[in-house]
Amino acid sequence: MEIRPIRTDEDHRAALAEIEACWGAPQGSETGDKLDVLLALVDAYEEKRWPINVDENFDPIDVLNHAIEELGHTQAELAELLGSRSRASEILSRRRALTVEMIHKIGSAWKIPADLLVRPYRIGHAA
C-alpha cells in the first residue's frame, strides 16, 4: 500500500479517485485499511485547504454558495440533485427551505456534513 501526503489539488483529486476505487471494501481488510487512511488524509487536506469558519451568521445557503464558488460544484449540479433549476434557484435565493431529503441528497453527493446544512436560517418571501 503506497500512500503519500496530500499537498496539492492534483494529489487531492488522485486520492478521491482512489477512495472511490476502494469504496465498500470490508473493514479490516488491506483495502479497507487503505480507505480509512485515505479518508483521514483527504479530510485533513480539505480542512486545511478549504477551511469553513462557522459563526452565528453562517447558514446552509452560505455552505451551498461556498461549495459552488470554491469547491467546484455548479448550480446545474444542485438543480440535478434537487430535481429542477427553479428549485435550486429558490433555495439559493432563500425563497424555499431545504428539506431533510434535499439535505441528505446534497450531503451525500457533495460530501457536506449534514450538521452544516440543518442549521436554521431565514427564508425570504417570494416576490
Side-chain angles (χ1 to χ4, degrees), residues 31-102:
T31 305
D33 290 347
K34 180 178 181 179
L35 176 62
D36 289 342
V37 172
L38 286 168
L39 288 169
L41 288 171
V42 165
D43 188 47
Y45 177 78
E46 288 176 351
E47 283 184 23
K48 181 177 163 187
R49 174 71 169 88
W50 299 292
I52 297 177
N53 299 320
V54 179
D55 65 23
E56 61 193 48
N57 298 319
F58 193 81
D59 68 30
I61 305 309
D62 295 327
V63 171
L64 294 177
N65 284 321
H66 177 79
I68 290 169
E69 294 166 9
E70 302 293 331
L71 303 180
H73 295 291
T74 66
Q75 188 169 340
E77 286 178 63
L78 182 61
E80 188 174 317
L81 288 171
L82 301 181
S84 74
R85 292 175 59 101
S86 63
R87 182 162 295 138
S89 178
E90 289 171 340
I91 295 294
L92 292 174
S93 64
R94 301 172 189 271
R95 292 191 313 255
R96 178 188 291 255
L98 287 165
T99 65
V100 172
E101 183 180 352
M102 291 175 188

